[in-house]
Amino acid sequence: MNARRLLLLTVVAIVLVASALWLLGERRIGQELADTGALLPELMAQINEVDRIVLGGAGGRTPVTIERGQDTWSVAQRNGFDADAAKIRALLLALARAQRIEAKTANPELHGRLGVEDLAAEDATGIGVEIGGVDFSHSLIVGHGRTRGKGSYVRLADQPQAWLVDVALAPERDPARWIERDLVDIAIQRIATVQIEHADGTGTQIRSRDDGRRFELADLPPDRQPESDYAAEASAGLLASLRIDDVHPADAAPGQEQPRTRARFTTVEGIVIELEGWQDEGRTYARLDAGLDEALAAAYVEAFEPAAGAEAEAEAEAEAGAGAEAEAEDGIEPDEGAAVAPTQTDGSAPRRTLDDLRAEAARLDARFEGWVFELPGFKGSNLMKTREDYLAPRE
């Protein structure tokens, strides 16, 4: 074999090896592309059938279990208190829409770098997410978020391959973050009076002024004045957009031995909410009850009856006026006594029946019954204000 032929065979061999490597690389790239796409391709079609979400932590522990009943979701670690349905749906939609954009390591020894290691390890940093329905289940481990840009590292629990997905996934590990935190929302304009009594016998009475938007302290000492023009507003608005930090069964709440502050909120319609609060280790806890002052409610409803009658009469007159105009268009002279359509009635205050008010009080009481709620710090501070906190020396 001469040198020229040897060189030619060498070149051919190099070309064949290069072609093989190229084809192997193309096959690998093609396989990776085939594996990209939806992280959980079936979940979007199943999303309305999910009835269980389990979040797992290090050491195989289960910090959060969320279950769907007939009407609502509940958090098992909070004795079945209502779960935040909007937050649950946000998690499910994020997982259903998540797209795999890059294959990462499939080596279990490197999973810890991405936070997707086996959760049986006591030092595991990821969080397991198990989603189930009657006839399906999905299980994955959510690891670290991407350092730069949007995305998260994940691994399906039964596969070694880790992935970068295009959405930020960070399921909460604290069951308190999954409860329905919106407890009650009674606008400050509805509040008529607030009576607060502390364990030492001191107290404060707050009442609405005529405009229904400003409040004043009752029985001011002659040598004192309110600390500010809005000293009473914060306490009067305690039930407005009240969101809780946590919830406990009534017989298992912390600080049961602590002295109590009692507050009674009465609305202009006669809804009464009684609150018993206390503090323990820097947190404020409260138990609430709701009812209806039937006498106040009846007076409130009766006050609207004349207005309701006047509006009905005005509507009848408006219809008569419209009929007269129609007759005039047809060439028929209207009666001399035909009414002119009146101006629109005010209608600024909502009309409520006694049944409406009873239903609202019953709904609130059912929401409160059997629970002690942990209040946000600023709401707790407003509840615990002493009379001295509201006052300043008169100038």
Side-chain angles (χ1 to χ4, degrees):
M1 181 182 295
N2 58 36
R4 183 176 180 180
R5 184 166 182 169
L6 181 60
L7 178 61
L8 180 61
L9 289 174
T10 302
V11 170
V12 170
I14 291 173
V15 170
L16 289 174
V17 171
S19 298
L21 291 174
W22 180 81
L23 288 172
L24 183 61
E26 285 292 300
R27 182 177 179 184
R28 181 178 178 184
I29 293 171
Q31 181 63 42
E32 288 188 1
L33 289 175
D35 286 341
T36 58
L39 175 66
L40 300 172
E42 298 175 347
L43 181 56
M44 187 60 77
Q46 299 166 335
I47 200 164
N48 292 321
E49 306 303 321
V50 174
D51 59 18
R52 182 183 71 261
I53 301 173
V54 179
L55 305 180
R61 288 180 286 275
T62 304
V64 183
T65 303
I66 306 168
E67 300 167 319
R68 186 167 70 176
Q70 185 173 358
D71 300 314
T72 61
W73 290 87
S74 62
V75 181
Q77 287 77 10
R78 287 300 180 267
N79 292 75
F81 191 77
D82 288 350
D84 186 337
K87 191 168 186 174
I88 292 167
R89 186 163 184 82
L91 173 64
L92 294 177
L93 284 173
L95 289 169
R97 292 169 177 166
Q99 298 290 312
R100 292 182 281 195
I101 56 177
E102 186 180 349
K104 307 306 286 187
T105 183
N107 184 350
E109 294 182 1
L110 300 179
H111 284 164
R113 298 182 181 181
L114 303 179
V116 296
E117 68 271 37
D118 193 316
L119 293 177
E122 286 293 336
D123 60 350
T125 57
I127 183 164
V129 180
E130 180 186 331
I131 300 167
V134 173
D135 56 1
F136 65 89
S137 179
H138 304 287
S139 185
L140 63 150
I141 299 170
V142 177
H144 305 320
R146 194 176 189 181
T147 306
R148 293 183 179 179
K150 186 177 181 181
S152 303
Y153 299 108
V154 301
R155 179 172 66 85
L156 298 182
D158 60 351
Q159 299 179 14
Q161 181 66 59
W163 291 90
L164 172 65
V165 296
D166 63 348
V167 295
L169 300 170
E172 299 275 6
R173 303 167 187 264
D174 182 354
R177 308 306 296 175
W178 287 97
I179 63 173
E180 174 53 71
R181 298 179 62 202
D182 292 326
L183 181 64
V184 60
D185 185 13
I186 295 183
I188 192 171
Q189 293 87 349
R190 293 179 62 188
I191 299 297
T193 62
V194 182
Q195 181 70 48
I196 300 173
E197 182 181 337
H198 299 292
D200 62 2
T202 62
T204 305
Q205 184 175 351
I206 299 168
R207 60 193 178 201
S208 173
R209 297 179 181 175
D210 292 340
D211 57 16
R213 295 178 180 272
R214 297 284 303 279
F215 292 82
E216 62 186 6
L217 302 172
D219 302 324
L220 278 175
D223 60 338
R224 309 298 293 277
Q225 66 182 25
E227 182 269 334
S228 75
D229 290 341
Y230 299 92
E233 263 73 359
S235 297
L238 188 136
L239 300 177
S241 301
L242 177 56
R243 287 170 56 82
I244 58 175
D245 284 348
D246 208 344
V247 63
H248 306 271
D251 58 355
Q256 299 280 0
E257 73 287 352
Q258 297 296 336
R260 308 297 174 97
T261 290
R262 291 175 172 79
R264 179 184 175 93
F265 297 81
T266 304
T267 73
V268 293
E269 311 98 331
I271 300 286
V272 177
I273 294 180
E274 295 185 334
L275 184 154
E276 184 179 67
W278 64 93
Q279 292 185 316
D280 185 66
E281 296 186 359
R283 301 177 185 271
T284 303
Y285 301 91
R287 186 180 62 81
L288 291 84
D289 295 286
L292 185 66
D293 186 317
E294 291 280 342
L296 284 177
Y300 176 84
V301 171
E302 184 179 355
F304 279 104
E305 289 181 353
E311 184 170 302
E313 183 178 344
E315 289 176 355
E317 290 176 352
E319 290 176 4
E325 290 176 3
E327 289 180 350
E329 290 176 359
D330 290 336
I332 301 174
E333 292 292 333
D335 293 339
E336 292 183 1
V340 177
T343 57
Q344 190 81 17
T345 57
D346 179 21
S348 59
R351 288 215 174 88
R352 308 288 299 277
T353 67
L354 273 174
D355 286 342
D356 291 337
L357 297 172
R358 288 168 181 153
E360 180 181 2
R363 184 175 66 253
L364 289 171
D365 200 50
R367 175 77 166 149
F368 303 150
E369 187 176 6
W371 302 103
V372 166
F373 306 101
E374 186 177 323
L375 305 185
F378 73 101
K379 293 283 189 179
S381 296
N382 291 332
L383 173 66
M384 296 299 172
K385 276 186 175 182
T386 67
R387 185 169 176 81
E388 287 300 309
D389 291 330
Y390 292 102
L391 301 177
R394 185 172 294 280
E395 296 178 355

